[in-house]
Amino acid sequence: MRIRLATRAELPALQDIERAAGAPFRGLGMPEIADDEPPALDVLERYRRAGRCWVAVDESDLPAAYLLAEPVDGALHIEQVSVHPRAARRGVGRALLAHAADHAREEGLTALTLTTFTDVPWNAPYYARLGFRPLPEADLTPGLREIRGAEAAHGLNRWPRVCMRAPL
Protein backbone atom coordinates (compact mmCIF):
# COMPACT_ATOMS: atom_id res chain seq x y z
CA MET A 1 0.00 0.00 0.00
CA ARG A 2 1.12 3.50 -0.78
CA ILE A 3 0.76 6.35 1.73
CA ARG A 4 -0.03 9.89 0.69
CA LEU A 5 -1.95 12.94 1.85
CA ALA A 6 -5.72 12.61 1.66
CA THR A 7 -7.67 14.63 -0.88
CA ARG A 8 -10.74 16.63 0.04
CA ALA A 9 -12.92 14.33 -2.09
CA GLU A 10 -11.77 11.33 -0.05
CA LEU A 11 -12.89 12.64 3.33
CA PRO A 12 -16.32 10.89 3.27
CA ALA A 13 -14.49 7.61 2.53
CA LEU A 14 -12.43 8.18 5.68
CA GLN A 15 -15.64 8.36 7.67
CA ASP A 16 -16.68 5.03 6.13
CA ILE A 17 -13.32 3.51 7.10
CA GLU A 18 -13.80 4.76 10.66
CA ARG A 19 -17.25 3.18 10.91
CA ALA A 20 -16.01 -0.15 9.56
CA ALA A 21 -12.93 -0.12 11.82
CA GLY A 22 -15.13 0.59 14.83
CA ALA A 23 -17.51 -2.31 14.29
CA PRO A 24 -15.29 -4.93 16.05
CA PHE A 25 -15.62 -2.99 19.32
CA ARG A 26 -19.20 -4.25 19.52
CA GLY A 27 -17.88 -7.78 20.09
CA LEU A 28 -15.84 -6.53 23.06
CA GLY A 29 -18.90 -5.13 24.81
CA MET A 30 -18.11 -1.60 23.69
CA PRO A 31 -21.12 -0.75 21.49
CA GLU A 32 -20.78 2.96 22.28
CA ILE A 33 -17.38 2.93 20.60
CA ALA A 34 -18.70 0.93 17.64
CA ASP A 35 -21.54 3.43 17.22
CA ASP A 36 -19.47 6.57 17.82
CA GLU A 37 -19.63 8.91 14.86
CA PRO A 38 -16.39 9.44 12.94
CA PRO A 39 -14.78 12.87 12.84
CA ALA A 40 -16.92 15.42 11.01
CA LEU A 41 -15.90 16.47 7.51
CA ASP A 42 -14.81 19.92 8.72
CA VAL A 43 -12.54 18.30 11.33
CA LEU A 44 -11.03 15.98 8.72
CA GLU A 45 -10.58 18.96 6.39
CA ARG A 46 -8.69 20.86 9.11
CA TYR A 47 -6.19 17.98 9.42
CA ARG A 48 -5.99 17.66 5.64
CA ARG A 49 -5.28 21.36 5.12
CA ALA A 50 -2.57 21.18 7.80
CA GLY A 51 -0.91 18.32 5.89
CA ARG A 52 -1.51 15.79 8.67
CA CYS A 53 -4.20 13.54 7.23
CA TRP A 54 -2.56 10.60 5.51
CA VAL A 55 -4.20 7.70 3.73
CA ALA A 56 -2.93 4.26 2.83
CA VAL A 57 -4.33 3.51 -0.61
CA ASP A 58 -4.87 0.22 -2.38
CA GLU A 59 -3.83 -0.70 -5.92
CA SER A 60 -6.79 1.34 -7.25
CA ASP A 61 -5.61 4.42 -5.31
CA LEU A 62 -8.60 4.15 -2.96
CA PRO A 63 -8.11 4.76 0.79
CA ALA A 64 -8.06 1.62 2.93
CA ALA A 65 -6.80 3.33 6.10
CA TYR A 66 -6.00 6.77 7.44
CA LEU A 67 -4.12 8.57 10.18
CA LEU A 68 -4.69 12.01 11.70
CA ALA A 69 -1.99 13.73 13.74
CA GLU A 70 -1.09 17.07 15.28
CA PRO A 71 1.90 18.48 17.13
CA VAL A 72 1.40 18.46 20.90
CA ASP A 73 4.13 19.62 23.28
CA GLY A 74 7.08 18.71 21.06
CA ALA A 75 5.70 15.38 19.86
CA LEU A 76 3.43 14.35 17.01
CA HIS A 77 0.21 13.16 18.61
CA ILE A 78 -1.65 10.45 16.73
CA GLU A 79 -5.24 11.56 17.02
CA GLN A 80 -6.69 8.69 15.02
CA VAL A 81 -5.49 5.71 13.05
CA SER A 82 -8.13 3.53 11.43
CA VAL A 83 -7.75 0.59 9.09
CA HIS A 84 -10.69 -0.86 7.19
CA PRO A 85 -11.15 -4.52 8.17
CA ARG A 86 -10.52 -5.59 4.55
CA ALA A 87 -6.97 -4.23 4.90
CA ALA A 88 -6.34 -5.36 8.49
CA ARG A 89 -3.40 -7.55 9.51
CA ARG A 90 -1.28 -6.48 6.54
CA GLY A 91 0.97 -3.95 8.26
CA VAL A 92 -1.05 -0.95 7.05
CA GLY A 93 -1.39 0.64 10.50
CA ARG A 94 2.31 0.07 11.16
CA ALA A 95 3.17 1.71 7.81
CA LEU A 96 0.99 4.73 8.59
CA LEU A 97 2.68 5.11 11.99
CA ALA A 98 6.13 4.84 10.38
CA HIS A 99 5.11 7.52 7.88
CA ALA A 100 3.95 9.77 10.74
CA ALA A 101 7.25 9.15 12.55
CA ASP A 102 9.21 10.18 9.46
CA HIS A 103 7.11 13.35 9.20
CA ALA A 104 7.65 14.08 12.89
CA ARG A 105 11.43 13.72 12.53
CA GLU A 106 11.39 16.12 9.57
CA GLU A 107 9.52 18.61 11.75
CA GLY A 108 12.05 18.25 14.57
CA LEU A 109 9.61 16.55 16.92
CA THR A 110 10.96 14.10 19.49
CA ALA A 111 8.29 11.40 19.77
CA LEU A 112 4.94 10.03 18.72
CA THR A 113 2.18 10.02 21.33
CA LEU A 114 -1.30 8.58 21.37
CA THR A 115 -4.10 7.63 23.73
CA THR A 116 -5.78 4.26 23.51
CA PHE A 117 -7.75 1.57 25.29
CA THR A 118 -5.57 -0.62 27.49
CA ASP A 119 -7.58 -3.83 27.22
CA VAL A 120 -8.34 -3.90 23.48
CA PRO A 121 -5.93 -6.28 21.70
CA TRP A 122 -5.51 -4.06 18.64
CA ASN A 123 -4.97 -0.97 20.82
CA ALA A 124 -2.43 -0.71 23.69
CA PRO A 125 -0.94 -4.21 23.27
CA TYR A 126 -0.47 -3.58 19.53
CA TYR A 127 1.17 -0.19 20.10
CA ALA A 128 3.46 -1.69 22.75
CA ARG A 129 4.72 -4.16 20.13
CA LEU A 130 5.55 -1.13 17.94
CA GLY A 131 7.66 0.50 20.65
CA PHE A 132 5.12 2.72 22.40
CA ARG A 133 5.35 2.77 26.20
CA PRO A 134 2.69 3.86 28.70
CA LEU A 135 3.18 7.31 30.19
CA PRO A 136 2.41 7.60 33.90
CA GLU A 137 -0.19 10.27 34.64
CA ALA A 138 2.48 12.35 36.39
CA ASP A 139 4.51 12.48 33.14
CA LEU A 140 1.71 13.77 30.91
CA THR A 141 2.43 17.12 29.30
CA PRO A 142 -0.15 19.92 29.52
CA GLY A 143 -1.37 19.16 25.98
CA LEU A 144 -1.77 15.46 26.71
CA ARG A 145 -3.67 16.29 29.90
CA GLU A 146 -6.00 18.44 27.84
CA ILE A 147 -6.54 15.61 25.34
CA ARG A 148 -7.26 13.14 28.14
CA GLY A 149 -9.73 15.62 29.65
CA ALA A 150 -11.58 15.94 26.34
CA GLU A 151 -11.69 12.15 26.05
CA ALA A 152 -13.12 11.86 29.55
CA ALA A 153 -15.76 14.47 28.71
CA HIS A 154 -16.66 12.36 25.65
CA GLY A 155 -17.16 9.33 27.92
CA LEU A 156 -14.12 7.36 26.81
CA ASN A 157 -12.94 6.82 30.40
CA ARG A 158 -15.71 4.28 30.88
CA TRP A 159 -13.04 1.78 29.74
CA PRO A 160 -9.40 1.82 30.89
CA ARG A 161 -7.27 4.12 28.75
CA VAL A 162 -3.62 5.02 28.62
CA CYS A 163 -1.41 7.63 27.01
CA MET A 164 1.57 6.09 25.23
CA ARG A 165 4.80 7.51 23.79
CA ALA A 166 7.36 6.25 21.30
CA PRO A 167 10.61 8.22 21.16
CA LEU A 168 11.99 9.04 17.71
Side-chain angles (χ1 to χ4, degrees):
M1 292 218 162
R2 188 169 63 89
I3 297 173
R4 60 169 172 74
L5 290 170
T7 67
R8 184 179 181 125
E10 292 169 331
L11 299 181
L14 303 189
Q15 292 177 315
D16 293 340
I17 290 168
E18 180 74 16
R19 288 183 189 101
F25 283 92
R26 190 173 311 287
L28 297 177
M30 301 169 77
E32 297 88 346
I33 302 304
D35 295 337
D36 195 34
E37 281 299 307
L41 292 175
D42 64 320
V43 172
L44 293 171
E45 175 62 9
R46 181 175 57 84
Y47 283 98
R48 189 192 72 78
R49 276 195 322 263
R52 294 187 302 271
C53 177
W54 295 285
V55 292
V57 295
D58 63 18
E59 58 280 350
S60 300
D61 202 40
L62 298 174
Y66 76 97
L67 184 146
L68 305 175
E70 64 183 327
V72 174
D73 300 332
L76 187 64
H77 184 73
I78 308 302
E79 178 60 33
Q80 184 66 41
V81 60
S82 293
V83 179
H84 195 285
R86 73 174 181 265
R89 300 193 178 280
R90 296 187 198 164
V92 177
R94 179 186 307 256
L96 279 166
L97 288 165
H99 185 85
D102 289 344
H103 178 81
R105 282 185 201 94
E106 291 170 8
E107 296 293 316
L109 302 172
T110 61
L112 295 181
T113 60
L114 54 82
T115 59
T116 192
F117 295 108
T118 60
D119 299 331
V120 174
W122 60 89
N123 279 194
Y126 170 76
Y127 295 119
R129 289 191 303 275
L130 299 181
F132 285 83
R133 296 294 170 249
L135 277 174
E137 288 291 320
D139 292 345
L140 297 184
T141 64
L144 292 176
R145 287 184 192 285
E146 185 177 322
I147 289 166
R148 290 288 291 124
E151 291 176 347
H154 191 67
L156 294 179
N157 280 359
R158 178 172 170 199
W159 304 276
R161 287 185 68 76
V162 65
C163 185
M164 300 181 84
R165 182 179 189 276
L168 298 176

